[in-house]
Amino acid sequence: SGRFIAARPPFLALTLLATVAVVVGILYVADIQDVRVAYAFFGLVPRRLVGVLGSSFVTAVTLLSVWGVVDWADPWLDFCVCVVAFFPMAIGAALGDILPGS
């Protein structure tokens, strides 16, 4: 959980990289739905990717704070807890984004 990766910063980085890789895989590589990069920030970073990852992370931080799971007394630990919750939330957001008709 968050406490585990807080004590191991390389695992935190690996978790963040895995989150981005899985979301990119769902959105662009798996060909579940034809999704093209139409708009990109700086011509490089797809807006859809930023939206899925950004909304998931903001939701994780907001809900975990509101629910009292994190109180931000120890910001590093609480950030790591949010990153752990962010992983499945980002996968759900990516799958929801590519649903037919969306």
Side-chain angles (χ1 to χ4, degrees):
S1 76
R3 189 173 304 279
F4 181 80
I5 66 170
R8 297 160 181 86
F11 287 3
L12 173 67
L14 184 61
T15 301
L16 288 169
L17 287 173
T19 303
V20 173
V22 169
V23 169
V24 166
I26 291 170
L27 290 177
Y28 302 109
V29 179
D31 283 336
I32 297 169
Q33 182 184 11
D34 184 19
V35 179
R36 294 191 176 109
V37 177
Y39 304 102
F41 291 113
F42 310 111
L44 182 65
V45 182
R47 289 183 183 199
R48 176 173 256 158
L49 179 63
V50 171
V52 166
L53 292 174
S55 64
S56 299
F57 190 75
V58 168
T59 301
V61 169
T62 302
L63 289 178
L64 292 175
S65 297
V66 169
W67 292 338
V69 175
V70 295
D71 60 6
W72 300 100
D74 182 357
W76 175 250
L77 175 61
D78 293 334
F79 172 74
C80 291
V81 169
C82 290
V83 167
V84 169
F86 166 57
F87 184 85
M89 291 177 86
I91 292 171
L95 291 172
D97 187 64
I98 61 169
L99 286 175
S102 61

